[in-house]
Amino acid sequence: MKTNRLSKSIEAALNAQMTKEAYASQIYLAQAAWATAEGYGGVGNFLFRHAHEERNHMMKFLEYILNRGGKVTVMAIPAPDKNPSNLQDCFNKVFEQEVDNTASIYKIVKMSLEQEDWATWNFMQWFVKEQVEEETLSLNLLDKIKIAGGEKATDEALQELNKELKNMADEAPEAREATTENP
Ligand code: FEO
């Protein structure tokens, strides 16, 4: 009896998405390191936490593939792009990367619908909801930097923003929601 409940194409798409989540984690990690080195430890802390969250997303895909009897293929993760040129650029990149990820999630939802793979369709709904939260979170970051003055923001305004993000760590339920212990 065939025990793999995933079609070849869905298995491949889920594996690719697993790698994409790992890539997202590397991007956040690189940006967090950059922000911290630039003196924005609060922003760095926020981004480090998000890097961890993306690793948890990666694990959710890995666990799902295994649970469905599929084959997990761990692939190389591309290196992140070059460092941002300033905080606004950093937050822009965060937003772009989340939008790109949403498009990729939607493709798998569409595939599962077309193939009537309702288990995968149902599994993917968690990510559809998560992407709404993540896009909102990154849009809020863009609003904050705009209010601080955008590219013309003073050092004082940026340090205020830095402090705000440092304190936000305990106020961001969406960043805590996904863990491997509490998926
Ligand atoms: Fe795993 Fe930010 O999406």
XYZ file of all heavy atoms in Angstrom, residues 2 13-14 16 20 29 41 43 77 83 91 99-100 106 113-114 121 125 136 150 156 164 181:
187
model
N 0.432 2.214 -0.781
C 1.192 3.472 -0.846
C 0.939 4.259 0.450
O -0.211 4.522 0.808
C 0.710 4.264 -2.068
C 1.472 5.531 -2.340
C 0.918 6.172 -3.620
C 1.621 7.478 -3.943
N 1.322 8.541 -2.995
N 6.741 21.015 -3.494
C 6.418 22.402 -3.116
C 6.577 22.614 -1.612
O 7.067 23.659 -1.167
C 4.992 22.736 -3.551
N 6.185 21.620 -0.828
C 6.309 21.734 0.636
C 7.781 21.750 1.046
O 8.187 22.497 1.940
C 5.571 20.586 1.335
C 4.041 20.616 1.241
C 3.446 19.301 1.748
C 3.457 21.786 2.036
N 10.237 22.807 -0.846
C 10.787 24.109 -1.269
C 10.388 25.196 -0.266
O 11.192 26.061 0.083
C 10.284 24.453 -2.668
N 12.468 27.764 2.045
C 12.203 29.214 1.974
C 12.063 29.803 3.384
O 12.503 30.915 3.650
C 10.929 29.449 1.161
C 10.808 30.838 0.591
C 9.659 30.889 -0.393
C 9.340 32.298 -0.822
N 10.289 32.902 -1.724
N 18.177 36.905 10.536
C 19.397 36.770 11.348
C 20.449 37.793 10.896
O 21.060 38.488 11.720
C 19.932 35.348 11.173
C 20.868 34.787 12.222
C 20.191 34.716 13.579
C 21.335 33.391 11.806
N 20.202 47.890 19.161
C 20.051 46.585 19.821
C 18.592 46.175 19.967
O 18.270 44.989 19.934
N 16.077 46.899 17.913
C 15.629 46.394 16.605
C 16.232 45.006 16.388
O 15.554 44.075 15.940
C 16.058 47.352 15.465
C 15.701 46.780 14.103
C 15.443 48.733 15.657
N 20.684 26.478 1.819
C 19.965 27.748 1.990
C 20.796 28.850 1.329
O 21.977 28.992 1.645
C 19.789 28.087 3.494
C 19.176 26.906 4.244
C 18.959 29.351 3.673
C 19.230 27.051 5.755
N 23.748 43.719 3.283
C 23.142 44.412 4.423
C 22.322 45.624 3.981
O 22.639 46.257 2.976
C 24.240 44.903 5.377
C 24.777 43.770 6.231
O 24.084 42.775 6.448
N 25.999 43.903 6.694
N 13.601 47.778 7.093
C 12.178 47.479 7.273
C 11.490 47.238 5.922
O 10.578 46.435 5.811
C 11.478 48.599 8.043
C 11.931 48.707 9.483
C 11.606 49.806 10.259
C 12.684 47.700 10.075
C 12.018 49.901 11.581
C 13.109 47.792 11.393
C 12.777 48.897 12.141
N 5.932 39.677 1.795
C 4.994 39.656 0.666
C 5.370 38.511 -0.286
O 4.512 37.760 -0.763
C 4.994 41.019 -0.077
C 4.228 40.931 -1.387
C 4.384 42.100 0.820
N 6.652 38.364 -0.511
C 7.140 37.286 -1.373
C 6.760 35.918 -0.778
O 6.325 35.011 -1.484
C 8.667 37.431 -1.511
C 9.257 36.314 -2.343
O 8.895 36.234 -3.515
O 10.056 35.510 -1.812
N 0.472 31.078 -1.031
C -0.760 31.027 -1.826
C -0.662 29.999 -2.959
O -1.641 29.352 -3.311
C -1.089 32.405 -2.409
C -1.628 33.418 -1.419
C -1.796 33.088 -0.076
C -1.970 34.706 -1.814
C -2.285 34.017 0.837
C -2.462 35.640 -0.904
C -2.609 35.293 0.415
O -3.097 36.202 1.303
N -5.781 22.920 -3.538
C -7.184 23.039 -3.954
C -7.393 22.287 -5.274
O -8.322 21.487 -5.412
C -7.520 24.525 -4.125
C -8.941 24.884 -4.500
C -9.859 24.760 -3.292
C -9.011 26.309 -5.034
N -6.513 22.529 -6.237
C -6.639 21.900 -7.557
C -6.535 20.375 -7.459
O -7.180 19.647 -8.188
C -5.575 22.453 -8.504
C -5.932 23.849 -8.991
C -4.764 24.592 -9.633
O -3.640 24.055 -9.675
O -4.973 25.729 -10.057
N -4.428 21.521 2.227
C -5.164 22.791 2.177
C -5.419 23.290 3.602
O -5.189 24.462 3.924
C -6.490 22.600 1.433
C -7.247 23.882 1.242
C -7.125 24.743 0.204
C -8.205 24.445 2.141
N -7.951 25.830 0.403
C -8.618 25.676 1.578
C -8.739 24.050 3.360
C -9.556 26.505 2.201
C -9.667 24.876 3.986
C -10.072 26.080 3.395
N -3.765 26.702 5.840
C -4.561 27.828 6.343
C -3.884 28.520 7.531
O -4.019 29.727 7.728
C -5.986 27.378 6.724
C -6.807 26.868 5.557
C -6.774 27.801 4.364
O -7.133 28.970 4.462
N -6.337 27.292 3.233
N 1.104 42.578 8.563
C 0.665 43.693 9.415
C 1.814 44.174 10.284
O 2.075 45.376 10.403
C -0.513 43.245 10.323
O -1.546 42.748 9.491
C -1.038 44.382 11.169
N 11.490 58.866 8.446
C 12.005 58.142 7.276
C 13.514 58.243 7.175
O 14.217 58.142 8.182
N 18.019 60.784 17.504
C 17.144 60.680 18.696
C 15.873 59.892 18.338
O 15.461 59.014 19.088
C 16.722 62.078 19.200
C 17.809 62.858 19.911
C 18.799 63.504 18.941
O 18.506 63.558 17.718
O 19.878 63.928 19.386
N 11.486 51.394 21.608
C 10.113 50.897 21.483
C 10.112 49.427 21.041
O 9.379 48.597 21.575
C 9.369 51.745 20.443
C 7.875 51.570 20.490
C 7.173 52.298 19.351
O 7.670 53.351 18.903
O 6.139 51.788 18.911
N 7.076 23.919 20.384
C 6.366 23.373 21.546
C 4.871 23.711 21.468
O 4.035 22.981 21.961
C 6.908 23.964 22.872
C 8.393 23.706 23.148
C 9.287 24.704 22.418
O 8.933 25.892 22.361
O 10.320 24.277 21.881
